[in-house]
């Protein structure tokens, strides 16, 4: 009898198991917040969430319930057909006002926004230049575009400059980078990238997924904090991290947004998110604008945490943000450390390849403005014990 065509998966899973890379699905009980209730375990303090401003569980839930009475749930079709409702349109207007751009476009997720925007802007006659640690959604967009793809070493603007110098003759060129790197918590050299984009006549696209709501005096992200907003042609963000909801967005010139509405595949061929998600996004934008103390306090406590961990002898890499990596090297060391923290009532995810380069596994601490000082003390004390 012929073997089952899916048998290869058993071998692959066994290989993942042996190298400490097999992931298992976890289910929590109750809402996603700083204290989690896993199944069959005592509560864990959650240092694994991207809900950096602590908005997801309560504040936005109230906004969603209000909008549900008006809009119901599913959107039923892609935005170009019948899926785009008044709440979507309102959020797009508010996002454009917040970001100081002419227009904005909502996508089902940040992942969808990145990969389909890239494929709409460049094609096989073009070249794309990306940081080696860009998010998977950017890598997939580069692949999907069919453009010639140059990767420059992480944060290395000089290497990018050489690549641009040596690659004339393409129809269009586009530089793309995360602004705040999601695993290392460090920042792209945006001022240098903006200067290179201008010098070489390239488009500059950035992904502010982890920075929107956290960085910049107005909470608009690292472009704002670095003073380069005007020099960036395509700004991608997500509602699903500090803004506590779900859905991606792109902001920029009106012609860019109109082109994406016509050509970005995840916009054209995917159902619009529920309007209630847009209602949550609107509420989150209000909080970001009215309560700057949330992000200011968050970055302050992140700086303090990094210092205390470094004083204990841990490496927090180049982090300057609310994402604090504790770099341990081997994947198995990361898994063991995460398990030891879990036994102490703390959830800190072990990040292993392919999310980080081989030999650079880490514990990724995500701070939220909702963590209490006691919870942070508990974390610091646990790391001190593990060091002893
Ligand atoms: C840098 C970056 N960009 C984009 C995304 C995707 O955003 P979303 O979760 O909204 O799909 C993520 C999510 O992890 C991310 O880390």
């Amino acid at each position: 009898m012929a073997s089952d065509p899916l048998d290869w998966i058993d071998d692959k899973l066994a290989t993942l198991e042996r190298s400490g890379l097999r992931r298992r699905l976890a289910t929590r009980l109750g809402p996603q917040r700083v204290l989690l209730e896993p199944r069959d375990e005592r509560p864990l303090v959650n240092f694994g969430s991207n809900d950096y401003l602590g908005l997801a569980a309560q504040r936005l839930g109230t906004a969603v319930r209000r909008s549900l009475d008006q809009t119901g749930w599913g959107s039923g079709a892609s935005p170009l057909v019948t899926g785009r409702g008044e709440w979507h349109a309102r959020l797009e207007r508010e996002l454009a006002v917040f970001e100081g751009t002419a227009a904005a476009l909502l996508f089902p997720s940040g992942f969808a926004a990145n990969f389909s925007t890239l494929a709409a802007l460049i094609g096989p006659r073009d070249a794309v230049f990306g940081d080696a640690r860009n998010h998977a959604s950017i890598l997939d967009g580069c692949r999907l575009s069919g453009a010639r793809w140059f990767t420059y070493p992480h944060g290395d603007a000089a290497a990018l400059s050489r690549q641009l110098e040596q690659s004339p003759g393409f129809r269009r060129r586009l530089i793309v980078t995360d602004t705040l790197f999601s695993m290392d918590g460090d920042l792209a050299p945006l001022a240098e990238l903006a200067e290179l984009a201008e010098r070489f006549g390239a488009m500059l696209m950035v992904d502010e997924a982890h920075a929107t709501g956290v960085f910049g005096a107005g909470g608009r992200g690292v472009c704002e904090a670095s003073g380069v907003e005007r020099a960036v042609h395509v700004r991608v963000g997500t509602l699903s991290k500090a803004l506590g909801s779900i859905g991606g967005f792109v902001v920029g010139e009106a012609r860019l947004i109109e082109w994406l509405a016509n050509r970005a595949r995840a916009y054209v061929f995917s159902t619009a998110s529920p309007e209630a998600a847009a209602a949550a996004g609107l509420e989150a934008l209000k909080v970001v604008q009215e309560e700057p103390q949330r992000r200011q306090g968050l970055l302050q406590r992140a700086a303090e945490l990094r210092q205390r961990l470094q004083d204990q002898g841990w490496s927090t890499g180049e982090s300057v943000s609310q994402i604090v990596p504790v770099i341990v090297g081997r994947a198995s060391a990361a898994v063991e450390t995460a398990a030891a923290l879990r036994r102490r009532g703390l959830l800190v995810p072990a990040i292993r390849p392919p999310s980080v380069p081989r030999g650079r596994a880490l514990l990724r601490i995500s701070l939220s403005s909702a963590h209490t000082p006691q919870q942070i003390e508990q974390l610091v004390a646990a790391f001190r014990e593990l060091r002893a």
Side-chain angles (χ1 to χ4, degrees), residues 96-113:
V97 171
F98 171 69
E99 298 278 2
T101 56
L105 197 68
L106 287 173
F107 285 79
S109 69
F111 198 106

Side-chain angles (χ1 to χ4, degrees), residues 50 109-111 114 135 137 178 180 182 207 209-210 238 240-241 247-248:
N50 300 318
S109 69
F111 198 106
N114 267 334
H135 188 256
S137 54
D178 289 19
L180 165 50
S182 57
D207 175 7
H210 292 270
T238 179
S240 47
K241 305 197 190 295

Side-chain angles (χ1 to χ4, degrees), residues 185-315:
D186 60 337
L187 307 182
L190 287 183
E192 290 166 79
L193 301 191
E195 191 273 318
L196 288 174
E198 188 177 357
R199 173 144 49 104
F200 288 96
M203 295 179 278
L204 178 57
M205 169 170 160
V206 304
D207 175 7
E208 293 265 34
H210 292 270
T212 306
V214 178
F215 273 77
R220 297 195 295 276
V222 183
C223 291
E224 181 196 2
S226 316
V228 301
E229 284 171 296
R230 296 275 149 253
V232 173
H233 304 96
V234 188
R235 243 188 292 156
V236 179
T238 179
L239 302 165
S240 47
K241 305 197 190 295
L243 299 185
S245 181
I246 180 80
F249 61 87
V250 179
V251 296
E253 293 185 19
R255 58 187 172 175
L256 167 76
I257 298 308
E258 189 177 353
W259 175 249
L260 294 180
N262 277 274
R263 276 291 180 271
R265 295 175 70 78
Y267 193 79
V268 178
F269 296 111
S270 192
T271 299
S273 58
E275 282 190 81
L282 278 164
E283 180 69 14
L285 273 189
K286 210 161 97 191
V287 177
V288 166
Q289 291 169 93
E290 290 175 358
E291 301 177 24
Q293 67 277 13
R294 283 185 190 250
R295 60 180 167 276
Q296 292 157 358
L298 175 63
L299 290 177
Q300 175 62 35
R301 62 169 48 173
E304 288 161 11
L305 176 65
R306 284 194 305 273
Q307 188 58 56
R308 295 179 74 186
L309 292 172
Q310 286 164 17
D311 289 347
Q312 292 176 7
W314 297 99
S315 165

